[in-house]
């Protein structure tokens, strides 16, 4: 019932910038948390940044001061502005949305298909 679609990945040189976008769409629902994760080949999928509907944010230590997450609640869209990119940031970036259909109901996690970010040295 919910589709999550990322965009904005690509190839960039070290020190450059990219902005990722993620939109959740479908039937009537409410989103509590939206976030970005990343996974390099052979590595664990790790949290990059997350944001609540109230605007509270959380960042991985490795991206603090370089990445900024923001959210448009009306559009069910989250953004990740990535500045001062490093080769270590190379990974597939996945968006997630935690969704509920009732205040007292369960929360379901939906994932996008991922977008590749490659940072060359």
């Amino acid at each position: 019932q919910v589709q999550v679609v990322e965009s904005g990945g690509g190839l960039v040189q070290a020190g450059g910038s990219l902005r990722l976008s993620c939109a959740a769409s479908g039937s009537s629902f409410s989103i509590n948390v939206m976030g970005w994760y990343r996974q390099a080949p052979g590595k664990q999928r790790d949290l990059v940044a997350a944001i609540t509907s109230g605007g509270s944010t959380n960042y991985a230590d490795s991206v603090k001061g370089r990445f900024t997450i923001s959210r448009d609640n009306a559009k069910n869209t989250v953004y990740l502005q990535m500045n001062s990119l490093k080769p270590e940031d190379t990974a597939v970036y996945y968006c997630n949305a935690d969704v509920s259909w009732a205040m007292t109901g369960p929360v379901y996690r939906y994932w996008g298909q991922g977008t590749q970010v490659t940072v060359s040295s």
Side-chain angles (χ1 to χ4, degrees), residues 13-120:
Q13 293 187 357
S17 298
L18 287 172
R19 191 176 85 145
L20 307 183
S21 299
C22 172
S25 62
S27 59
S28 180
F29 58 85
S30 296
I31 300 177
N32 183 23
V33 179
M34 296 186 74
W36 290 96
Y37 292 71
R38 67 186 181 186
Q39 186 171 23
K43 302 292 186 179
Q44 182 181 358
R45 184 179 297 188
D46 293 323
L47 175 71
V48 177
I51 186 168
T52 70
S53 60
S56 179
T57 59
N58 187 37
Y59 295 93
D61 289 341
S62 60
V63 306
K64 287 181 179 178
R66 300 188 297 120
F67 292 8
T68 302
I69 189 170
S70 60
R71 180 171 178 171
D72 185 336
N73 289 334
K75 297 181 179 179
N76 289 329
T77 299
V78 65
Y79 307 93
L80 186 68
Q81 179 66 47
M82 305 186 294
N83 298 326
S84 301
L85 283 162
K86 304 175 181 179
E88 309 94 271
D89 297 318
T90 296
V92 177
Y93 283 69
Y94 297 91
C95 177
N96 85 280
D98 292 342
V99 174
S100 65
W101 281 267
M103 293 293 293
T104 58
V107 178
Y108 299 85
R109 172 161 285 189
Y110 290 87
W111 292 92
Q113 293 299 115
T115 185
Q116 177 71 48
V117 172
T118 302
V119 184
S120 62

